[in-house]
Amino acid sequence: MVSNALSLSGLVRGIRGQKSAAQVSAYVSAALGDIKSELRSTDGFDKANALRKLTFLQMMGYDMSWASFPAIETMSSPRFAHKRVGYLAATQGFAEDTEVVLLTTNLLKKELRSPCGYAAGLAVNCLSNIVTADLAQDLLPDLVELVRHPSPYVRKKAVLGLFKLFVRYPQGLRLAFDAVRGCLDDPDPSVVSCAVNVVTELSDKNPRNYLVLAPQFFRLLTSSSNNWTLIKVVKLLGSLVGEEPRLARKLLEPLARIVQNTQAKSLLYEAVYTITLAIPFARKADGSVPKSVPALVRLCSDTLGTFVGEADQNLKYLGLVGFVSLAASHPRAAVEHRGPILQCLCDDDVTIRTRALELLAGMATRRNLRELVTQLLGHVELAGGAYRDALISRVVAMCRKDKYERVEDFGWYTG
């Protein structure tokens, strides 16, 4: 028997064919009435078709929370095409307070153990979006088991899904930490990339907890050719240099190689920025610094100078941020780039002007204070509002630092 129900494409054409908002509202209301009737059907095709249309309407802002139970029924369909529609409807329609979420526990557990990797992948994706603390606690062992699945497709979904479970059930991290750690050594690069992403996100609040993974991340730094994976690896290692000075010294050479060889701007910046973070912690036990540090400072300065000279506002801003970080250990590193940095004070973007001002204030010495203040006062005359106040505050702070030690002529200062 052929169904007469309107298809999703027919619904979309019908909505587009309406001439006014009032007509659209009336058309959708009539369509929702038909959808409710179709969801009561015992025919799996009609029910899946109705859910497909309802999911589309949910993306237009219409409520579909009332269809939670039909979504679960469709999720349990033996047909994969229908099952996929049900899982998508649950992903979009279920909220934390959806009462029937607990009814999905056994269904998800069954799917996670399915011999079909694509069915397991559907379940992982849905679980990641609807997970509650109870679901996370009940299904954590099943997801950990999927990390050892023979299919890389399933393994990478499982390790990403674990992150969402850890957010809802933090105690699960201790129970599944070894599984995530093992994924860093997975033979498939896509699984490794997913594991790196998970660890990087987890380490955001307390990097020290992940110091034990430094050897694996260092191996990835020197062996991976995936730029996006390397960006995450470099970021995480940069957050660990303050915890382990030996790591800081060890990172300098491979990071320098990346700076010298990569063409990817994003990776180039992360490598340079991490060098600026590592240099202050690279001192040896006797207080000496590695012989390579002066050359690295020059490399960072030259690279950041090219960023500041870029027309792209984002790259310009990143260059200034990098110089601020480098200036923390080597205040004179940006002096030869003072011209381009001063030009940033004329930029339309206030964030660029603010960063440039912060950097210029750190460049002041007895020798250049007068010239620098004169240039900044020229910008004060053209500025207004909060930025003008910030300029004046910086000028005053530069002059009175260390009890006015840099001011050679108080007549000039007071005049």
Side-chain angles (χ1 to χ4, degrees):
M1 180 177 177
V2 179
S3 173
N4 293 321
L6 185 68
S7 67
L8 173 59
S9 57
L11 174 68
V12 173
R13 283 195 298 270
I15 292 174
R16 289 178 176 175
Q18 306 309 305
K19 303 299 184 182
S20 66
Q23 289 179 334
V24 170
S25 179
Y27 182 84
V28 170
S29 295
L32 285 171
D34 293 338
I35 288 171
K36 288 180 180 179
S37 298
E38 293 164 22
L39 288 176
R40 290 194 291 269
S41 171
T42 56
D43 186 288
F45 286 89
D46 282 348
K47 189 171 290 188
N49 182 53
L51 267 182
R52 192 180 290 112
K53 292 185 290 184
L54 186 57
T55 303
F56 172 76
L57 291 176
Q58 190 269 348
M59 290 189 287
M60 292 181 63
Y62 292 90
D63 177 51
M64 66 175 292
S65 60
W66 51 270
S68 299
F69 196 76
I72 293 179
E73 289 180 321
T74 310
M75 287 164 66
S76 61
S77 171
R79 294 183 65 90
F80 182 79
H82 295 172
K83 189 189 299 288
R84 183 168 56 183
V85 173
Y87 274 105
L88 177 60
T91 297
Q92 290 190 196
F94 286 11
E96 193 169 351
D97 58 350
T98 302
E99 294 181 356
V100 299
V101 167
L102 289 178
L103 297 179
T104 64
T105 304
N106 289 331
L107 174 60
L108 288 169
K109 189 179 287 286
K110 177 184 174 183
E111 298 287 11
L112 292 173
R113 297 175 180 178
S114 170
C116 174
Y118 294 109
L122 276 180
V124 173
N125 184 63
C126 180
L127 175 61
S128 299
N129 286 277
I130 70 172
V131 64
T132 62
D134 290 335
L135 275 179
Q137 189 170 0
D138 291 337
L139 297 176
L140 179 65
D142 299 281
L143 212 56
V144 169
E145 191 61 34
L146 284 184
V147 167
R148 295 183 279 271
H149 195 278
S151 168
Y153 167 81
V154 176
R155 293 201 302 275
K156 66 183 181 181
K157 278 187 171 290
V159 70
L160 290 173
L162 280 172
F163 173 74
K164 289 298 192 77
L165 268 63
F166 297 152
V167 172
R168 294 292 187 180
Y169 177 52
Q171 299 91 326
L173 178 56
R174 290 182 179 274
L175 303 174
F177 184 78
D178 288 340
V180 176
R181 183 177 186 174
C183 289
L184 293 173
D185 297 319
D186 195 279
D188 189 276
S190 64
V191 179
V192 174
S193 179
C194 291
V196 167
N197 275 279
V198 169
V199 174
T200 304
E201 292 299 319
L202 290 171
S203 67
D204 188 52
K205 292 184 178 179
N206 191 357
R208 184 173 189 148
N209 290 341
Y210 301 89
L211 188 58
V212 66
L213 299 179
Q216 287 169 284
F217 272 80
F218 184 82
R219 178 182 57 76
L220 289 172
L221 178 69
T222 56
S223 62
S224 178
S225 58
N226 184 313
N227 283 347
W228 293 112
T229 298
L230 284 172
I231 288 171
K232 296 286 187 179
V233 168
V234 169
K235 276 188 173 182
L236 179 61
L237 291 172
S239 68
L240 295 176
V241 294
E243 308 294 340
E244 177 51 77
R246 290 175 299 177
L247 176 63
R249 292 193 292 272
K250 196 171 182 180
L251 285 176
L252 295 178
E253 183 179 341
L255 288 175
R257 283 200 299 270
I258 290 176
V259 173
Q260 292 164 345
N261 297 319
T262 187
Q263 298 299 313
K265 291 284 188 181
S266 51
L267 177 57
L268 175 63
Y269 174 74
E270 291 298 340
V272 169
Y273 186 73
T274 301
I275 291 175
T276 68
L277 296 177
I279 286 175
F281 298 99
R283 290 186 178 276
K284 300 177 182 178
D286 60 2
S288 62
V289 297
K291 294 180 180 179
S292 61
V293 167
L296 287 171
V297 171
R298 164 60 66 179
L299 178 65
C300 290
S301 177
D302 291 344
T303 306
L304 292 171
T306 63
F307 273 80
V308 172
E310 291 277 357
D312 186 290
Q313 299 288 81
N314 294 321
L315 295 179
K316 190 188 299 288
Y317 179 78
L318 289 176
L320 294 171
V321 171
F323 266 130
V324 170
S325 179
L326 182 61
S329 58
H330 291 77
R332 303 284 298 165
V335 169
E336 65 182 78
H337 302 282
R338 190 175 68 179
I341 294 171
L342 273 167
Q343 290 176 4
C344 291
L345 293 178
C346 302
D347 199 278
D348 293 335
D349 191 330
V350 66
T351 59
I352 289 178
R353 297 200 302 268
T354 303
R355 284 293 186 180
L357 184 58
E358 178 184 358
L359 187 57
L360 287 166
M363 292 184 191
T365 63
R366 286 174 63 90
R367 182 176 298 178
N368 67 13
L369 178 66
R370 189 166 184 166
E371 178 187 359
L372 197 55
V373 167
T374 301
Q375 291 172 322
L376 290 178
L377 288 177
H379 288 279
V380 168
E381 295 177 2
L382 302 174
Y387 178 61
R388 183 176 187 276
D389 295 340
L391 274 169
I392 295 172
S393 296
R394 284 289 183 182
V395 169
V396 173
M398 287 165 55
C399 293
R400 75 178 192 182
K401 188 175 181 181
D402 298 326
K403 298 181 179 180
Y404 297 94
E405 182 184 19
R406 298 171 181 170
V407 179
E408 295 180 331
D409 182 357
F410 277 91
W412 160 79
Y413 178 66
T414 55

